[in-house]
Amino acid sequence: MNRSGTHTVKSWVQMWYEVYAEPRLRENTKDYYLNYINNHIIPQLGDIKLDKLTTIQIQKFYNDLQKNGRVQRYQHIELKNKGLSVRVVHGIHTLLNNCLEQAVAERLILVNPARGCKLPKMEKREMKVLPEEKIRPYLMEADKRGLLAPFYLELTTGLRRGELLALLWTDLDVENRTISITKQVTRTKGELVVSQPKTHNSIRVLPVSQQAVDLLVEEHKKHPGNPYMFPSPKTGGMFDPDSFRHTHEKILKSIGAEHIRFHDLRHPYVKHTTKIFSLRSMAFQAQAYPDARRKTRGACQLHRGGQSQSPVRPLCNRKRFS
């Protein structure tokens, strides 16, 4: 008997997820996959025999997702937009395509019917940065909330939110002015989970300015017995990334700035060729911290040749907080 005849799309995608996908996924990525499988693929395609699934059926499925794919989770809240975003449709396609490619590899089907589908074009989301004139008010508002240190460090290093909030005091090397990035925190199934950074290259040692080190030392004095560099003001435990993002949004609203995704705060610093933003940071330091030029040239001030003033030194012989 042909083995493909024993599988429906439902049975195969569940087996594929359990055997091939789940063991290799991060916890938060598992939630995305299970949502795509249980709320979209199985309800629409699950009863179809695997070897009978066609390209046109999958194409109609994708088209419907764009029009009516959003799941009604709360009956008392009317959905303003019933269709899924282009990004989510692409995510569902990636999952289904990989699943069907494995079916081809196991000779359950001859060809992958998802290959011929036409996907909506991904729209490039314009990245917004914090305007020069808003940097000082932004940090002053953060200071009012007792959160100057984490937001200043974010603006001058471009750390991912999960990396920033997972920092421990032992990650700071005061003598060499560096911070070790070795972990991140995410919220998964209602719990805060600490894991390795997003990619292997994300494990790194970052140089920071003396200004940042001074702020961090002052921050440490507020809660010397706490292992977290930036503990939650409410619980004293690890700062929830979602709560931190909401604080960012409240700060923007308080200073009259347009909405900027927290994620966008980091990109100008990851792309070190963004010279204009570096000059903006220099202008901010001169205004907000009059002694900044005497104390440090700053992590964001560049040599004329484009290199950071702060050297990255080996991890050995490091003076850390204990």
Side-chain angles (χ1 to χ4, degrees), residues 77-263:
I77 300 177
E78 183 179 355
L79 293 176
K80 294 182 180 180
N81 185 356
K82 295 184 178 181
L84 293 178
S85 69
V86 172
R87 180 185 61 82
V88 173
V89 174
H90 275 255
I92 292 172
H93 168 73
T94 298
L95 185 157
L96 185 58
N97 184 67
N98 290 341
C99 174
L100 294 175
E101 283 292 341
Q102 188 61 43
V104 173
E106 299 197 15
R107 300 182 181 179
L108 298 178
I109 53 178
L110 293 177
V111 295
N112 176 359
R115 282 187 185 178
C117 292
K118 305 296 182 182
L119 295 173
K121 289 185 178 180
M122 291 283 285
E123 297 180 1
K124 289 187 177 180
R125 183 179 293 182
E126 182 182 356
M127 186 186 71
K128 299 178 181 179
V129 297
L130 198 61
E132 176 185 348
E133 65 274 11
K134 291 295 184 180
I135 294 178
R136 186 183 182 201
Y138 182 90
L139 290 178
M140 290 178 67
E141 186 64 30
D143 193 20
K144 291 179 183 178
R145 299 167 184 268
L147 296 171
L148 174 61
F151 282 104
Y152 180 83
L153 188 64
E154 171 60 31
L155 285 174
T156 55
T157 61
L159 290 172
R160 296 183 178 93
R161 183 169 28 129
E163 295 172 341
L164 179 73
L165 300 179
L167 287 173
L168 303 176
W169 287 114
T170 51
D171 295 321
L172 174 64
D173 183 343
V174 176
E175 182 178 346
N176 291 322
R177 293 185 300 169
T178 61
I179 290 180
S180 298
I181 311 302
T182 60
K183 54 197 170 298
Q184 67 175 3
V185 59
T186 55
R187 176 165 287 281
T188 303
K189 297 180 180 179
E191 301 291 334
L192 293 180
V193 178
V194 177
S195 61
Q196 286 192 342
K198 192 172 182 179
T199 66
H200 178 73
N201 290 336
S202 296
I203 300 175
R204 61 205 187 277
V205 177
L206 284 181
V208 294
S209 67
Q210 186 62 49
Q211 181 70 42
V213 172
D214 292 342
L215 282 174
L216 294 175
V217 170
E218 290 300 314
E219 179 71 16
H220 186 56
K221 293 177 181 178
K222 297 178 183 178
H223 35 79
N226 198 309
Y228 299 115
M229 189 173 290
F230 307 120
S232 167
K234 294 182 179 180
T235 67
M238 187 169 283
F239 211 134
D240 188 322
D242 291 337
S243 177
F244 195 73
R245 175 174 53 82
H246 291 321
T247 300
H248 157 73
E249 293 169 352
K250 290 177 182 178
I251 290 174
L252 291 176
K253 187 175 181 180
S254 296
I255 65 174
E258 65 175 321
H259 180 264
I260 300 169
R261 295 185 308 161
F262 186 89
H263 186 74

Side-chain angles (χ1 to χ4, degrees), residues 279-299:
L279 294 175
R280 286 176 178 171
S281 296
M282 291 166 65
F284 157 71
Q285 289 183 355
Q287 292 175 8
Y289 295 93
D291 62 342
R293 290 186 178 180
R294 285 188 290 104
K295 297 177 69 175
T296 176
R297 289 184 173 90

Side-chain angles (χ1 to χ4, degrees), residues 41-56:
I41 295 175
I42 289 179
Q44 298 299 320
L45 304 174
D47 292 336
I48 301 172
K49 289 288 187 180
L50 183 62
D51 60 345
K52 301 299 182 183
L53 182 64
T54 65
T55 299
I56 195 168

